[in-house]
Amino acid sequence: MGLMEVFFYVLPGIFVVVGVLGLVRTLRRSSEISRAWRHGRTAEARCLRSYTTTSGGGDTAVTTTLHHVFEFTTAEGRTVRIDERNGRSTVVEGDFVTVYYLPENPEGGTAQPPAQGKLAVGTGCTVAFFAVFIGFALVFMGVAHFIFSAADSFGP
């Protein structure tokens, strides 16, 4: 097995691992939010800070993500801060919002209002993206294997 052949297995293999990790992270967070909405507790939280992050630039599109930092007190009296991405743009510093959280993991709480349908659609689209991403990498590995196998049969 030559160096080029290893490259055509390792690089798509890395893509598969990254895709699986992204898929697991997406499903885990979606499940956590859904459980917090359905079975969790609520608390009044204060928005301590609102900020944006940007990525991209140069030859690529710039993406801006809105973040909010919320602080609330759990039913057990513990003070918790969460930093939530993609929050509502109408929430500003000093505003009070309802936070939904699971007692065993209040750091995973969300200030997003319950919207199971929206969560399901967003999760479904993300899962579809990762499935195509992983599938493309696996097909690429299969095609590379086929080509290298065929080339080996023509060798001396």
Side-chain angles (χ1 to χ4, degrees):
M1 183 181 296
L3 184 61
M4 179 167 290
E5 195 170 346
V6 169
F7 175 77
F8 280 101
Y9 290 124
V10 171
L11 191 61
I14 291 170
F15 288 167
V16 168
V17 169
V18 168
V20 168
L21 290 175
L23 188 61
V24 168
R25 182 175 176 228
T26 298
L27 291 173
R28 191 173 285 158
R29 180 64 182 153
S30 177
S31 172
E32 186 176 47
I33 290 172
S34 181
R35 285 184 301 128
W37 284 339
R38 285 186 280 123
H39 307 294
R41 295 185 176 160
T42 60
E44 184 176 61
R46 185 165 186 237
C47 179
L48 300 178
R49 182 171 178 231
S50 177
Y51 66 98
T52 59
T53 56
T54 56
S55 60
D59 292 338
T60 61
V62 175
T63 303
T64 303
T65 304
L66 179 63
H67 296 257
H68 291 97
V69 178
F70 297 106
E71 183 176 77
F72 64 97
T73 303
T74 66
E76 295 77 29
R78 187 169 149 224
T79 300
V80 177
R81 283 188 184 182
I82 59 173
D83 186 334
E84 187 169 50
R85 297 177 345 157
N86 298 321
R88 294 174 285 169
S89 61
T90 56
V91 175
V92 296
E93 290 181 31
D95 283 356
F96 287 92
V97 297
T98 300
V99 171
Y100 302 85
Y101 70 95
L102 295 170
E104 64 273 12
N105 184 22
E107 292 83 5
T110 182
Q112 297 289 337
Q116 291 287 355
K118 184 178 175 183
L119 180 65
V121 168
T123 302
C125 289
T126 305
V127 166
F129 168 79
F130 281 122
V132 169
F133 185 80
I134 293 166
F136 176 78
L138 291 173
V139 167
F140 184 86
M141 286 174 75
V143 169
H145 178 73
F146 175 76
I147 290 170
F148 286 121
S149 295
D152 286 342
S153 67
F154 290 120

